[in-house]
Amino acid sequence: MKILVPVKRVVDYNVKVRVKADASGVDIANVKMSMNPFDEIAVEEAVRLKEAGVATEVIAVSCGVAQCQETLRTAMAIGADRGILVQTDEELQPLAVAKLLKSLVDKEGPQLVILGKQAIDDDANQTGQMLAALLNLPQATFASKVAIADGKATVTREIDGGLETLSMSLPAIVTTDLRLNEPRYATLPNIMKAKKKPLETVTPADLGVDVAPRLKTLKVEEPPKRSAGVKVADVAELVAKLKNEAKVI
């Protein structure tokens, strides 16, 4: 079984982002970039399935600028067998990424696509669902447990009321949640080995996909500073403030 794992290059989760002076977006100049944490979980899950003998090959895919090669090398250091970079300097929105991934799925024919439920930069939570719709394949989002057997995927997913378990025929799309696994650290020997693994570069034009943005960002601004809290003497004063000042009751 072949597994395709899309990975995204984002601003590292430890970095405090700054908005550009012209409010056109987030300043990523000289900022540490890394793999989207949810995608890291997806790579780990795919590698575990391979180690368990369920999968035979894990392919990491990234869409974006040339520096995304670093993200793919990280995925290969974790255990992916090869990488594919769809290189473009265009701003990629979820629908464009889903179309690029559809072309790659049509070309590679994986039985399972595992990707993070969302990216921590735009928090869109759309690509997995759009990909499933474009391919007309079953999907399970927010997965906290994945089991593959007899040509089917059994996925436990997190919902508002608790947990829901789905059974899907393969091929299928799965998006990962935080509790699915704990990604391993890439060891130095594996980082060195990853440098020798095959990495193919294609363009959106090679795949026949138009990635022109459909949405325009008008303005990006930081959230307002939170005002300091106040202490109240008793419940009556709390209720009065909630009613008269906060106007929430």
Side-chain angles (χ1 to χ4, degrees):
M1 185 175 85
K2 192 185 288 187
I3 301 178
L4 192 77
V5 188
V7 294
K8 186 177 184 181
R9 178 177 181 262
V10 299
V11 174
D12 190 87
Y13 68 91
N14 288 312
V15 173
K16 180 172 171 34
V17 296
R18 299 186 307 274
V19 175
K20 290 179 180 177
D22 62 0
S24 63
V26 172
D27 187 4
I28 60 171
N30 303 314
V31 169
K32 182 184 177 185
M33 307 292 282
S34 61
M35 188 190 302
N36 177 47
F38 290 104
D39 296 339
E40 229 177 327
I41 292 168
V43 175
E44 174 67 26
E45 191 64 21
V47 172
R48 289 188 187 188
L49 288 170
K50 185 187 172 189
E51 290 171 344
V54 175
T56 54
E57 185 180 29
V58 175
I59 308 164
V61 177
S62 193
C63 306
V65 294
Q67 291 90 328
C68 291
Q69 290 186 30
E70 301 165 15
T71 309
L72 288 170
R73 293 293 179 197
T74 301
M76 289 188 277
I78 293 172
D81 298 291
R82 59 187 171 99
I84 301 173
L85 171 61
V86 184
Q87 188 172 328
T88 176
D89 292 326
E90 285 270 9
E91 175 200 349
L92 291 176
Q93 295 174 352
L95 180 59
V97 175
K99 288 179 177 179
L100 292 170
L101 293 177
K102 177 188 181 296
S103 292
L104 290 173
V105 169
D106 290 340
K107 178 184 173 185
E108 295 289 341
Q111 282 71 51
L112 190 63
V113 180
I114 307 180
L115 64 161
K117 68 171 184 176
Q118 65 197 80
I120 62 172
D121 51 4
D122 58 15
D123 265 343
N125 183 12
Q126 294 175 335
T127 304
Q129 292 90 325
M130 287 177 168
L131 177 60
L134 290 172
L135 289 167
N136 195 27
L137 291 179
Q139 62 173 311
T141 55
F142 317 136
S144 60
K145 186 178 179 182
V146 176
I148 309 292
D150 302 323
K152 292 195 172 185
T154 303
V155 180
T156 302
R157 57 188 302 267
E158 301 192 359
I159 58 175
D160 290 341
L163 299 174
E164 177 183 60
T165 302
L166 303 176
S167 177
M168 310 180 295
S169 58
L170 298 177
I173 314 293
V174 174
T175 72
T176 63
D177 214 330
L178 279 174
R179 279 157 288 279
L180 180 58
N181 61 50
E182 183 76 29
R184 71 193 73 184
Y185 287 104
T187 62
L188 184 57
N190 286 338
I191 291 172
M192 300 307 292
K193 288 177 187 173
K195 293 181 178 180
K196 296 180 180 178
K197 290 183 178 180
L199 197 161
E200 179 187 356
T201 300
V202 297
T203 65
D206 294 335
L207 300 174
V209 176
D210 176 18
V211 295
R214 305 295 184 90
L215 305 173
K216 182 180 179 184
T217 301
L218 300 179
K219 186 179 181 184
V220 176
E221 57 186 18
E222 292 189 23
K225 295 273 192 298
R226 291 183 63 179
S227 56
V230 295
K231 290 184 177 180
V232 295
D234 51 33
V235 174
E237 186 182 353
L238 172 63
V239 172
K241 284 185 176 293
L242 290 174
K243 186 175 183 181
N244 302 322
E245 294 181 21
K247 298 190 185 300
V248 294
I249 60 173

